[in-house]
Amino acid sequence: MGQSVVHQKYKLSVVSGGKLVLPRASNRSCCNKSVTLLTRDETCVVVPFNNQIKVYSLETSQCVKTLKFANNAVLSRLFLGADAASICDLALGDLTLAEGGTADGAHSDDTFDFSVITSVGDVVVLNYKGKLADEPKVIQLGTLQPNEQVVKLFRFGGRVSVLTSEAETSATYTYRIYSYDNSERKLSERKRFEHVLLSAWSSNDKFLCLLAKGQNSKKVLYLEDIHDQIDSKTLPLPSIASASASSNAHFATVMALDHQGSQLAVGYASGVINVINLTDQSTRLLKWHIDSVLSLCFTSDGTYLLSGGWEKVLSFWQLSTNLQQFLPRLNGVVVDCNILHDKFYSLGLQFADNQSNSDYQLLLLNSTDLKSRIAISGPLCVFQTAVRDVVYPVSAVSSKASASSADLQKANKKQQRKLLKRRRQDFSSVFEIQPSTKHLYFPHTSAVQIFDFYKNEQIHYQYLASGLNNSMGKVRSELNLKDPVIADVKFTKDGNWMISYEVEYPPEGLLSSNDFSHVLKFWRMSASGEWELQTKVLSPHGLKTPITSILVAPRSVNNSLGCLTSDNNGGLKYWSFDEVLNNWALSKVAVPSVNHFSNSVELAWSLDGSLIFHAFDDKVTVIEFAAFKKFYEDSAKALNEFTMDSAIQSIMLVNDSNLIVATQTSLNSINLLLGVVESSFDLYPFVNGVYKNGHASRLISCDEKNGRVALVVNHKTLDAEGRPTLNYASHVLVFNSDLSQKLGAFEHDEYISCIRWNFDTDFIFLDTKNRLGVVSTTTSPEMLDEVDKEGALDQLASNEFEIELQKLTRAQKAQGLEPETDEKEEALLDFINGDKSGKLINMNSFTSMFENIENVQMDTLFDRVMKVIT
Amino acid sequence: MPSISQPFRLTALPKIASLNNYATQGNYLQVADTLTPTTNNINVGVSGSAVSQYIINPTPKLVYNQPISSTNVVSACAVAEITTTSEKDSQEVICYGIQSNRVYSLCATIKPVSSTASDSSFGETYAAHKVSVSDQIVNLKVFPDTKSIVAVLRSGLIQFFDFELKLQHSLDSSYKNVSYVQHFTSESGQRYTFLLSDIDGHKVSFKLFEIGQSDSATPATELSSVILENMCLKDSQIFYQFGQVYRLHGNAVSIYNLPHFQHSRTIELPFLAPESIISFKPISTNRALLTSDNKIFLLDLLHNAILSQREMGHVKIFQLLETAVIPGNSTLNNKTIALGVSIKHGSNPSSSLDIINIDVGTGTLRDSMGKGFMSRENKSQHLQPLISTLNDTEAAEFNYDRILKELSKAADNIENFDSVFFKRLGIKNNYYTDSDRFVNDREFLEDVSTLIFKSFKSEYPKALTYLLTNPLFPVSHTHNLLQKLKDHPRLFKQAIVTCPNLLLDELVQELFTVINDELCLDLSLRILQDFNKDSIKEAIKQKSKIDVNNFINFVISENFEEDRIKNKPRLFQLLSLVLDSVGLFALENEMLEKLTKYIDQQLSVVKENVELYNLVEEKNFKNGFGQPLGDTSTSGEPVITAYSIEQLEL
C-alpha cells in the first residue's frame, strides 16, 4: 500500500445508451409522431435516437450500423449540446442535389444516401451503408422564425415543400408551408395557418389536413394538396356530440388522412373515432376505445384504419364492414402508428407508467403475419423526478401519467420557473450491473430492463412484479392506480441470484393510501435465461416499513449467498440462502431503535465478512457480523461508532481499511485501522438538499478491486449573465482509495443520474438523456511489470499462487519436449506493440467494435481493428 | 480475539557463553521444523551440548537426549516419524548437521518415538549414522515416504541421502553462500524447496526447485531462478508462509510473492525501536510474530495492525526460534504455539527455552480495527473544496495550533475566550450551522473541550454551548458530561438535546434523578431517539438502586403542555420499557394503585373517543360525505365514488 507506482489514467467517454426519439412527440398538434425511414431496398430501417442514428436490418432484427453524433464533428455540432437542434425528418436520397427536371426515378438504387432534416432547417446527407464521410454535406434550407420548427419535408415529383410550426400557446400552433427552391436554396412561404390544433398528412406526402380553431372557437378543417396550391378545401369539423357532452367528447386528439385525401379519421379524447368522407362530408363513428385515441393511420388503399390508444391494443377497422381485429398486449401505450411501404407497421409505444421520462419503444411489425417484429428502444430509466420535456399522452382523465384536455392549457413556463428556483434537483436514477454478464439492469416500474452496454441493445425486459400494466393498458381512472414499483435490484457476487425490492401502492384517496407494502424477492437465473422467483418475502421489515438499503454479502460469507437489508428505523436483517430448504431465509436480526427514523441509511461490509458498517442518520455503527451486535458493545473506548457532521449519504469500505463516508456536507475517508478521519472534501454546495436523503449514494461508486472511488457532482450551468439555467453539467471525480489523490476529473454536459462500477476496471454512468458513458482506465504497459499492489487484499490471492506454481511446473516439463517455437508469436507481439507503443490500447479501445458484431462482414471487422490499432 | 499469553519455560539452557549471547544463540539453537499447534514433542539441537527432545504436556520434560561434543555447533536439525510395518513401536529419525571447526558432518539417529513422559526409551537408539559433508549444512529435511534426507549445504549443493546416510543424489544450485532454505508443499501435495543465496554486489539469487516424490522421478528440478538486485540477506530476517516470503530489514517488511519472487509491497514498522534485538517469525496467514528486546508483537501485515503485544518484564531479551504456522481463518483454528529463547537480566545471564501460547485471531478486519500501526501521514485536515475550478466555491482554512494557543492564553477570562473562539473560527451564531462545516478538525475540537473543562469550573464560556451543538463534539468528553453540567441547567439541557454520543447509562441515571418535568421529557425523548428497546431495558436493569417512582409520577401527572401531549405516546413507550425492566412487583402498592387508576382513566378516554369517532363518521355518511376524515386533500380533483362506472360519452 505504501509507495504506488501506478500508471493508470482514467478517461471519460459517452459511448452507449441513448433515447429513441419520436421527433414530433413534443408537438402536440402533430399526429404523426415517429420518424422512421425504410431503405430503398426495403431491407433496413433507419431509426433516430437522441445521440445517434441506428440502422436495423429487417431480416435479422439486429442493428447493422450506428451513426454516432459524437464521433463526427458535423453531427455533434448539429445535434449535441444544450440547445442543439433535433432530428425532425428523414428522407431517402440526397436532398442537396439539384434535381432539376428529372424526377424520382433518376435516383439510382445503389446510393445509400439519406437526408436528415433538423428542426432548425438544416439538411445533412448521410449514408446507411458503407463508411460515413468525415464531413457530411450540410445545407441550410432557409431562414426560419426564431421559434419556428420544421415539422416535415414533403417531396412529390421533384418538388420539395417544407411544413413548419410555431407554438402560439401550449395547444395551438401556427403552421406554414414553404416551397423549397433547390437551385437558389431558398424557402418561400406559400401558405400560413393560424391556431392549428392538429395536423395530419397522407403517408404518400400528397395531402395535408389541419384542424384549426376558427372564428367563434369553431373548429375548422383545412385540406390541402401540398404541392398543388389551387386544390384546397375548408370545411367545418362535423360535430359528433351534443354541446352538453363533456369536454372529452369535443377534444380531438389525433387525425389521419388517407392517400387519396378522401377520408379523414378524427380521434377524440373520449375514445370515439369519427371517419369523415371528405367528398360528401358524411361521417360515421367507430366506438371501441375506452380512453383517448392516441394514434390513427389509414392503409394505402384506404380500406383499413389502424387505431391505438391507452389499451395497449392495436385495432384494425375494416371500413367497409366496420369489423374489427386486434393486436393486443403491446408493451406500451400506442402513441403513434404508421405504415411503411405497405409492408411494415411501425408503432410508437410509450411506457406511460414511467412518469419521470418519456420512454418510447418502436415496434416494427410485418404486415403480413404481424408476428415478425423488431422492438427498438434505448435504456429505459426511471428518474427520481421527471426530467425536462416529458410528454404525457392525452387521456380522458388527468392523472400523474397522463395529460387531459384541461392540462394542455396550463402554461409550461410556470413549471420551468419552479424548476429554476427549487433547490432540490434530484434526477437520480438507479441501475445495477450484473457481475458475471456485465449487463445493466434498469428497474423500470414493475419490470427490469436488461441492457447490454457493449452491444448497446436491450437484452430482455422482464416483469418482476405483477401489476395491471403487465398485460394490458390502463384506461381512465385506472390511470390513478399505481402499479408496484421495483425500487432496487441487487446481485450476489457470482451473479446467479438477483434480489429485488418492490413497493406496492394502495389506491389513492383512502385512509390507507400511505400504507405502502414492501416485498423482497429472490430470483435465480434459470437455464432459459429468465429470472425465476425463488423466495418472496412480504413486509420483510414489518408492516409499512420500507427497506432503505440492500447489501449483498461478500464472497467470504456463505459464498455471497446472503444479503443485508436495513429499514428506516435502524433495524437490520440478514437473509441467507439455505441449501437444505432451497430457500432464502431470515438468519439474523438486529432490532430497530424506538423512535428514530431516517432515510439516510447505508451499509458496508468488510471483504472478510467480519464487520458490518451500518450508517444511520449521522452515525456509523460497527457491527460484528458473527454476533450481529455492536462491536464491543459494552466498551465505550472501542472503535465501534463514528459520528459524522450530518446525515450520511453513502458509505463504502475500500481495501478493507478505509471507510469512505459521504454526508450531506462532506466526503471523508476514515482510516479504520487508526480510527481517524484522513481527508475530507466539501460536498455541501453539491449535495445538501439537492438529493433526497440516501440518493446521493447513487452518484458514488467504488472499484472494489483497487479501491478507487468515483463521485459525480451535478450542477446547473449558468448563462452569460451568471444566472442559473435549466441545463445541467456534471463532473466525475475519481479518487484513490483514501481520497488523498485525485486521479481524474472529467466534465460531462448533462446531469448524471447514476454511476456504477462494472466489476472490471471502469465506471459506467447514466445521464438524464438516457445516454450511457464510461469512465475507464487505460492501462499502460509499464503497469504490467508490477503486480497490482492493492490487489494484495484480494482474498483469492492465495489460489493464484497455486495456479502460478502449477503453471511453472508444467512449463518446465514442456520445455524438455519442445524447442522454442514462439518466435512467430514474438514477431506478432512486436508488430502490435512495436512502434505504436505510444498509443494505449486497452479493453475499451475495442468496445465500439463489438456493437452489432453479428452482422458485420469480416473485412469490416478487420477494418475496425486496424482503425483502432493504427 | 488475538492474544499472546505469558510464556512458560520448557527448559533452562546450559551455561555456555555462546548460548547465552543474544547475538549467536539464535544460530546455536536449531529447532526441528515439526512444530504444530497440537504437537507435544519439541526437538532442539543445542550446540555444544546435546540434541534433545522435550514433551510439553503434562509438564515440560526432557524425554530424549543425545549428547554432542562441546566444540560441535549444530547448524540444522530435522526430525520425522518413519512408517514401518515390521515393528510395533513407531520410530523416528533425528538428523542434524554438525560443524566442528572446519569439519562438517551429518548425523542421523533412528530411535523409538517417545510420546509420553513415562516413556522410558531414554537414550535408546536403533541405529546411528554419521557422514561427513563438504560444507556447512544450512537446512535439513526428512521425507519419510521416499526415505530420504535432503541436506542443503552452504556451498549450494543439494544432497539426497537415505536413512543410512548413503548419498543418493547431489545437485549443484550453482550459487554459493546459501543462507535461507525453505521446503513447502503445494495444495496438491507436490513438494518444493527454494534457496536464497547472497551474491556479491548486494544481489540475491532465488531458486525454486520441485522435489521428486517417487524414487523414479528426478530428485529435484529447477523451476525458476531469479536474481534480485539491491537486496542483502545478511541483515534481513526472512521467512516463508502461504506463498509469500517476508523479509524484515531495518524497520521495514518487504513481502514477495512466490513463485516468481515478485515484490508486492513494503510495510514500515514505525514502532520498532532502533538497535533493539529483533526476531521475526511466521505464525498465520498474513500475520507474523515479531520480538523486539523483551516485547513480542502479533502483527497483521495485511491490515498493518498490531493485533496483540506483550512485554515480558522478567526477561531482558526474547527471541523466537520456531513457530507453529496455522491458517488462522476461523475461530476453530486460531490457537497455536511459538518457541523462543529468553535471556534474563543480570550480570551473569542465563537463558531458557520458553513456549508461548498464541491466539492469532481470524485475520479479519474485526481483529485489526483501530489497531493500525502505520503512522499517519501529515495530511491536511481541512475541508477541501471538491472542484477548485467552479467559481462559487468557498473554503476556509484555520491554523488550529495557533488558535489553540491563543485560546489557552485567553483561558482565564470568559469573554476573551469567547471572542477569540468565535472570531478566529468565523462562527457567527452560538449554535452549529452548515457554514461552520469548515471547522472539522476533531483533534482541535477535543483540545478545545479539554481546555474549557480544565480552565473553567464554575462558569463556562459560550463556546461550550456552541460545542454542545456541534455534531463533532468529541466523544471522549461525553463521559460524565451530564454530571459536570448538572449545576448549569441551560448547558445541561443543551447537552441532552443536541450533544451527540451521550451514554445511555448516564442518561438513564439522570432520567431517574431529575425532578424537572421539562428535563425529564427531554431525557425521555433523547433515550428513545438514540437507543433501541433492548439496550434501554438492559441499561435500566443494570442500575441497581433507582427510584422509578419519580419517573412514573412524571409520566402520569396531568399536564397539558403542548409538547407533553404531543409526545405522550413516546412517554408511554418508555414507561412500558421501564416497567418491563424493573418488574411490576418492584413498585410499591400505593404506586401500583396510582398507575392502575391512571391506566383505567386513559382507557375510558380511548373508549369515549372511539364512540365519538363512530358518531361523527355516521353523521358524515348520512350527509353524503364519502370522504374519510383523514383525507384533507384539497387538490380539487373530482372524487370518484367507489364502484361507480363512468359512462362512455359521445
Side-chain angles (χ1 to χ4, degrees), chain A residues 125-152:
Chain A
V125 182
L126 303 170
N127 46 320
Y128 56 84
K129 230 178 211 173
K131 215 176 159 203
L132 181 68
D134 286 339
E135 191 84 6
K137 259 191 269 181
V138 185
I139 57 158
Q140 170 84 39
L141 287 174
T143 46
L144 301 172
Q145 304 293 322
N147 283 327
E148 198 175 359
Q149 293 201 318
V150 176
V151 170
K152 168 86 181 156

Side-chain angles (χ1 to χ4, degrees), chain B residues 64 181 200 214 221 251 282 325 329 483 498 542 624 627-628:
Chain B
Y64 174 79
V181 178
D200 289 344
S214 58
T221 328
N251 61 352
V325 179
N329 47 19
Q483 203 58 46
T498 59
Q542 274 168 9
Q627 239 173 319

Side-chain angles (χ1 to χ4, degrees), chain A residues 241 246 287 592 595-596 608 624 632 643 645 656 672-673 677 680-682 684 742 804 809 812, chain B residues 1 210 222 260 303 364-366 370-372 381 384 386 437 440 442 501 529 532 570 573 649-650:
Chain A
S246 85
K287 297 178 193 167
N595 249 322
H596 194 180
D608 51 36
E624 200 178 335
Y632 277 123
T643 308
D645 49 8
D656 252 11
L672 291 176
L673 300 169
V677 179
S680 38
F681 289 90
D682 186 16
Y684 183 82
K742 215 185 268 184
E804 279 293 310
T809 319
Q812 187 65 29
Chain B
M1 277 284 109
E210 183 184 344
E222 185 179 314
H260 300 294
H303 295 113
T364 54
L365 179 62
R366 173 184 174 274
K371 296 175 183 165
Q381 251 300 299
Q384 304 162 55
L386 201 56
R437 63 186 186 276
N440 70 336
R442 288 167 194 247
N501 298 317
Q529 169 92 1
N532 62 30
R570 274 168 237 174
Q573 269 180 329
E649 298 160 339
L650 293 183

